[in-house]
Amino acid sequence: EAGVAQSPRYKIIEKRQSVAFWCNPISGHATLYWYQQILGQGPKLLIQFQNNGVVDDSQLPKDRFSAERLKGVDSTLKIQPAKLEDSAVYLCASSLVSAEQFFGPGTRLTVL
Amino acid sequence: ELKVEQNPLFLSMQEGKNYTIYCNYSTTSDRLYWYRQDPGKSLESLFVLLSNGAVKQEGRLMASLDTKARLSTLHITAAVHDLSATYFCAPRNNNAGNMLTFGGGTRLMVKP
């Protein structure tokens, strides 16, 4: 069974630029999550989708971050404009409804 | 708001020794996960604990859950170098779908 796929794996941008990350969940998983993991900390949930609807986005900085899952499968997370403090690993996870979450390899973002 | 505290944050131990990592959380939760993360890698699920008194063991790792005390432990028996990694606990928020709140992690280094 293929796992959660993410791209790109690494991204370096300058502050105030825009960036987008892509996630393809495990086939059949209705729920998709985006986490931000700052170096030395645990992952923090940014947004949770069930199919193409948002379940929770209370910790998403909506002035600069946006996410979509238009067809209920793949998802993109965008940051515009990026700040230095956005440097982190962005992890995508998926699960069956109310079940164990499986994580992708992550995208390491460096903002200069 | 669910808060999670792990201790210790960093643990250096000799091979062959035993030690316990503690995970305290602030509000009721119906299940708790333990994940492992190797440097530069994503999160790998180790255990899911579903009820009070639950105990699960895999190799040299044993996890337990006391929902009344809001405490989970991860016990390491006769540590080996391959166990060196960061370990995260993540209780599920009862009031927020399948949302997990991660602790800050315990970085374990096992020295030969």
Side-chain angles (χ1 to χ4, degrees):
Chain A
E1 177 183 276
V4 177
Q6 290 188 246
S7 68
R9 293 295 311 279
Y10 305 91
K11 190 74 177 179
I12 300 174
I13 61 173
E14 295 189 348
K15 60 184 180 184
R16 292 187 290 272
Q17 286 188 322
S18 301
V19 65
F21 313 128
W22 173 82
C23 173
N24 180 244
I26 293 172
S27 177
H29 281 193
T31 311
L32 184 147
Y33 316 78
W34 283 103
Y35 289 86
Q36 180 192 58
Q37 186 177 22
I38 293 171
L39 185 65
Q41 299 181 18
K44 181 183 83 171
L45 180 69
L46 294 176
I47 188 167
Q48 176 181 342
F49 292 96
Q50 184 160 321
N51 297 309
N52 60 351
V54 175
V55 175
D56 188 293
D57 64 356
S58 57
Q59 299 190 91
L60 186 74
K62 297 180 186 65
D63 58 333
R64 298 183 299 106
F65 286 65
S66 64
E68 60 183 15
R69 194 183 184 200
L70 293 175
K71 296 183 179 179
V73 181
D74 294 4
S75 177
T76 56
L77 175 70
K78 297 179 182 178
I79 308 175
Q80 179 180 8
K83 293 185 175 181
L84 296 177
E85 59 261 36
D86 298 332
S87 294
V89 175
Y90 291 84
L91 294 163
C92 179
S94 71
S95 74
L96 297 171
V97 176
S98 298
E100 180 181 355
Q101 297 180 27
F102 295 87
F103 284 80
T107 297
R108 183 177 297 275
L109 173 67
T110 302
V111 182
L112 303 175
Chain B
E1 181 188 352
L2 177 57
K3 294 188 185 298
V4 184
E5 185 176 314
Q6 278 183 245
N7 66 82
L9 297 181
F10 180 77
L11 176 57
S12 178
M13 56 192 298
Q14 295 293 129
E15 280 192 329
K17 298 293 187 182
N18 305 332
Y19 207 83
T20 300
I21 298 170
Y22 296 88
C23 172
N24 290 90
Y25 53 98
S26 60
T27 64
T28 56
S29 173
D30 65 346
R31 65 180 61 183
L32 185 142
Y33 294 86
W34 282 95
Y35 285 89
R36 168 180 172 148
Q37 187 175 40
D38 291 289
K41 305 291 186 182
S42 191
L43 284 87
E44 171 192 356
S45 177
L46 294 174
F47 302 108
V48 54
L49 302 167
L50 300 176
S51 61
N52 187 43
V55 177
K56 288 197 173 178
Q57 183 164 3
E58 179 73 33
R60 300 173 187 273
L61 299 177
M62 183 173 70
S64 66
L65 179 63
D66 181 342
T67 57
K68 294 180 181 178
R70 297 175 189 162
L71 171 68
S72 181
T73 61
L74 181 65
H75 186 72
I76 303 154
T77 302
V80 293
H81 179 69
D82 285 352
L83 290 179
S84 298
T86 299
Y87 294 86
F88 294 96
C89 66
R92 187 168 82 167
N93 189 328
N94 279 2
N95 300 317
N98 203 34
M99 178 179 172
L100 301 181
T101 299
F102 282 80
T106 297
R107 184 179 171 197
L108 173 65
M109 290 184 62
V110 181
K111 299 179 179 180

